[in-house]
Amino acid sequence: MIKIAPSILSADFLKLESEIKSIESSGADLVHLDIMDGNFVPNITFGPMIVSQIRKVTKLPFDAHLMIKDPQLFAPLFVEAGCDMITVHAETETHLHRTLQFIKKLGVKTGISVNPHTPVDFLKYVGDICDLFLIMSVNPGFGGQSYIDSATGKIKKVKEIREKYNFNYEISVDGGVNDKTIEKVAGAGADIVVMGSYFFGKPVEQRKKIVEDVKNNLFHSETS
Ligand code: DX5
Ligand code: ZN
């Protein structure tokens, strides 16, 4: 069954504790943490200090999406703060394989993310040490953007590579996932969907239904 990872980027930070608890009570599977440095992406979010605070209010796994230069410098701090998966962008790494080995040694799951323009053929060389492959379906930096349609073909391709080489990574899709786009994302083979503005844009009492509807495949896009 597909997993849902609400991104707290779109949460109400004045109520962060209850927003995170709403992720848990909605039945979602992971908490997606968008870490931005104002350098790799044109936005700045939060760092390990906030992560260690929110670690106290939920037992759900923390899926850290590092949109930062030099992720090797910061990965240990995010692991110490309580992250369970560390995803780095392929575009920032000259030695991606080495970075993934480094993260694995920290004792957490390793993830690779790619921007919309980045081809995925390189995955055959690193798919064996990657637990998660995060396909960006918007340009990273902001919540609330529209889904870029070329991501759908990329999801299929990443799934084909997994089958061909017998890899085990989960496929996650991040950006513009909502009631209109979920069907194509899930249909193409996503194992995890990140949801920011759609999930947190709804009142707390409606969030459980979003998760149920996604898991039961009840959303149907207008075009298909
Ligand atoms: C964008 C982030 C996403 C974002 C998704 O850089 O990686 O996780 O929060 O937000 P929505 O679901 O609003 O596109
Ligand atoms: Zn993200």
Side-chain angles (χ1 to χ4, degrees):
M1 191 177 270
I2 200 159
K3 293 183 192 167
I4 298 161
S7 163
I8 64 166
L9 185 62
S10 294
D12 181 345
F13 271 63
L14 289 178
K15 301 186 201 147
L16 202 46
E17 180 171 1
S18 61
E19 291 283 70
I20 287 172
K21 286 188 167 153
S22 87
I23 298 179
E24 209 164 66
S25 58
S26 71
D29 303 272
L30 307 158
V31 178
H32 185 83
L33 303 173
D34 285 309
I35 312 296
M36 305 185 189
D37 65 352
N39 189 355
F40 178 61
V41 286
N43 199 0
I44 299 175
T45 54
F46 50 88
M49 193 185 79
I50 300 284
V51 175
S52 62
Q53 291 293 307
I54 60 175
R55 186 64 284 180
K56 297 173 191 160
V57 302
T58 179
K59 292 202 164 25
L60 286 177
F62 279 0
D63 160 28
H65 176 195
L66 303 189
M67 286 161 275
I68 64 175
K69 294 260 174 80
D70 294 324
Q72 280 209 32
L73 263 183
F74 293 95
L77 301 179
F78 284 104
V79 171
E80 205 178 317
C83 293
D84 302 279
M85 318 158 93
I86 301 281
T87 295
V88 301
H89 266 264
E91 298 85 2
T92 66
E93 299 312 281
T94 308
H95 302 286
L96 178 62
H97 191 279
R98 178 180 284 153
T99 303
L100 295 169
Q101 286 176 319
F102 176 80
I103 294 169
K104 206 163 239 351
K105 280 197 192 128
L106 297 173
V108 294
K109 289 191 176 176
T110 59
I112 305 170
S113 183
V114 286
N115 285 336
H117 77 278
T118 303
V120 293
D121 295 319
F122 74 88
L123 187 46
K124 63 185 173 203
Y125 303 111
V126 286
D128 57 333
I129 51 165
C130 156
D131 300 302
L132 181 82
F133 196 79
L134 181 73
I135 296 168
M136 288 306 301
S137 40
V138 296
N139 288 300
F142 303 94
Q145 303 179 77
S146 300
Y147 182 83
I148 296 172
D149 263 315
S150 59
T152 312
K154 201 182 267 188
I155 301 167
K156 292 180 187 158
K157 173 109 191 163
V158 167
K159 197 175 169 203
E160 274 167 28
I161 295 173
R162 179 172 67 190
E163 275 154 27
K164 180 164 179 200
Y165 294 93
N166 244 329
F167 294 146
N168 292 312
Y169 51 75
E170 290 186 289
I171 302 168
S172 183
V173 179
D174 186 1
V177 180
N178 55 38
D179 56 339
K180 307 283 187 302
T181 55
I182 181 71
E183 195 181 20
K184 54 189 163 193
V185 170
D191 303 300
I192 302 172
V193 288
V194 176
M195 267 190 183
S197 51
Y198 186 69
F199 183 88
F200 285 105
K202 300 281 181 202
V204 173
E205 41 311 340
Q206 290 177 28
R207 294 176 187 169
K208 192 173 179 168
K209 181 155 177 3
I210 296 174
V211 173
E212 283 169 2
D213 287 355
V214 170
K215 287 190 181 277
N216 295 315
N217 198 14
L218 294 178
F219 287 123
H220 299 288
S221 56
E222 286 161 349
T223 47
S224 56

